[in-house]
Amino acid sequence: MTVQNENEEKRDESGVSQGTALDNENLWGSDMYPERRGGKFQHSWLKILFGAQGRESIDKNRCEHNVYKCIQEGPIIKLMMGALKSSGCEIDIRRHISCEVCNPSVTGGYDSELNQVVICQNSAYNENMVRGVLVHEMIHMFDYCRNKLDVKNIDHLACTEIRAANLGHCSFMSSLLQGDSSFINIKATHQNCVKHKARLSVMAVHKVSKEVAEAAIERVFTKCYNDLEPIGRRVRRNSFDMPRAYAEGHLYGYDV
């Protein structure tokens, strides 16, 4: 899951949210992805009045255009698709990628039950955001295909969220802006960012406390942080890491 904002909720002593949370047996409930299981997105007339809602067809067309452009032109997306194909999980973009209306707190997700990547058309506004969501969620898809990911197992979820944040999301600047690092602990900034993003996702999916999520992350961190498949390197912003990773894909036996 690609989480956009941190939502603080009141939780009981076991660490489970007391609010109207997603049930762990139904991780894709109506509060995050309302149309996934037959729900309906609740519009706000005020937001419709100011143009923030009520334009779902336009948002969907824009989202699908950005998805197609990323797949055609993005080296890192081409690499992920090649890795999935070589692992026996070839992607049909009409079947495995879906643009939908989501809760504003997330920009995307991976539905392991339907084996689909969801791009949130109302919060992933541009090509760069769509590319980031695709990379993140395709890593979850790769783990589901290759590593038998079980999202109901909190350690499995922590591991795949660590890998997704590690390989595609974190940089010194993003870590600094979200308060996970400073100029005096530069060596640890990337790991701090990875742990932060993984914690938000684990909390959002399993509806557990910060402490429970952090414990799961620490149990698997070293192993999962050092697992760089299928990209082979940590991708930095404003660098040549993406084309380099794509150029090296054949060395890993991926169909690129």
Side-chain angles (χ1 to χ4, degrees):
M1 178 184 290
T2 313
V3 178
Q4 185 160 257
N5 300 309
E6 182 170 7
N7 295 319
E8 296 295 335
E9 296 183 271
K10 185 178 179 182
R11 301 169 193 278
D12 63 24
E13 294 178 356
S14 68
V16 178
S17 171
Q18 296 177 0
T20 55
L22 285 172
D23 190 297
N24 281 352
E25 297 301 316
N26 181 20
L27 301 179
W28 287 79
S30 59
D31 59 345
M32 287 292 180
Y33 308 93
E35 298 176 354
R36 287 267 95 189
R37 297 291 184 270
K40 189 174 173 118
F41 182 75
Q42 298 298 316
H43 288 91
S44 162
W45 287 107
L46 184 62
K47 290 184 178 180
I48 292 175
L49 182 63
F50 286 97
Q53 290 180 0
R55 42 176 289 162
E56 285 75 20
S57 295
I58 296 173
D59 289 344
K60 190 176 187 68
N61 288 336
R62 179 191 61 200
C63 175
E64 290 178 346
H65 171 77
N66 286 331
V67 168
Y68 184 75
K69 191 171 182 182
C70 288
I71 288 172
Q72 291 296 307
E73 301 177 4
I76 201 71
I77 305 302
K78 290 180 180 179
L79 172 61
M80 289 303 306
M81 293 189 68
L84 283 160
K85 182 178 180 180
S86 298
S87 301
C89 301
E90 184 173 3
I91 288 183
D92 179 342
I93 62 174
R94 297 166 298 179
R95 161 67 181 84
H96 295 109
I97 301 176
S98 177
C99 289
E100 298 180 11
V101 177
C102 309
N103 185 298
S105 65
V106 294
T107 53
Y110 172 61
D111 187 340
S112 59
E113 184 177 335
L114 298 179
N115 193 28
Q116 278 188 325
V117 169
V118 176
I119 310 294
C120 297
Q121 64 191 46
N122 56 316
S123 51
Y125 301 111
N126 55 49
E127 184 181 342
N128 286 336
M129 293 182 73
V130 169
R131 183 185 302 109
V133 173
L134 282 172
V135 172
H136 188 109
E137 306 306 337
M138 281 182 173
I139 289 170
H140 296 331
M141 183 180 276
F142 180 86
D143 285 345
Y144 182 75
C145 171
R146 188 89 168 256
N147 300 323
K148 309 305 179 187
L149 169 68
D150 177 7
V151 295
K152 294 178 183 178
N153 182 318
I154 195 170
D155 285 3
H156 283 207
L157 179 66
C159 185
T160 193
E161 293 294 352
I162 288 166
R163 286 184 12 83
N166 181 25
L167 290 168
H169 262 127
C170 288
S171 68
F172 172 70
M173 187 54 66
S174 65
S175 182
L176 183 68
L177 291 174
Q178 66 192 18
D180 291 314
S181 59
S182 70
F183 288 103
I184 62 174
N185 71 336
I186 293 176
K187 183 176 181 181
T189 57
H190 191 267
Q191 291 190 9
N192 290 339
C193 176
V194 169
K195 289 180 178 180
H196 174 84
K197 288 187 176 294
R199 173 171 59 82
L200 293 184
S201 294
V202 171
M203 290 171 65
V205 174
H206 272 260
K207 296 301 177 186
V208 294
S209 67
K210 176 181 176 181
E211 292 73 23
V212 171
E214 286 178 344
I217 289 165
E218 291 300 331
R219 283 196 296 270
V220 300
F221 187 79
T222 300
K223 178 180 179 180
C224 301
Y225 183 77
N226 291 326
D227 182 358
L228 303 181
E229 289 280 357
I231 295 175
R233 63 174 69 230
R234 298 178 179 96
V235 177
R236 298 166 297 175
R237 289 184 181 179
N238 303 318
S239 73
F240 291 103
D241 286 341
M242 286 193 287
R244 284 172 180 160
Y246 176 67
E248 293 167 356
H250 71 280
L251 300 176
Y252 295 89
Y254 300 140
D255 184 7
V256 298

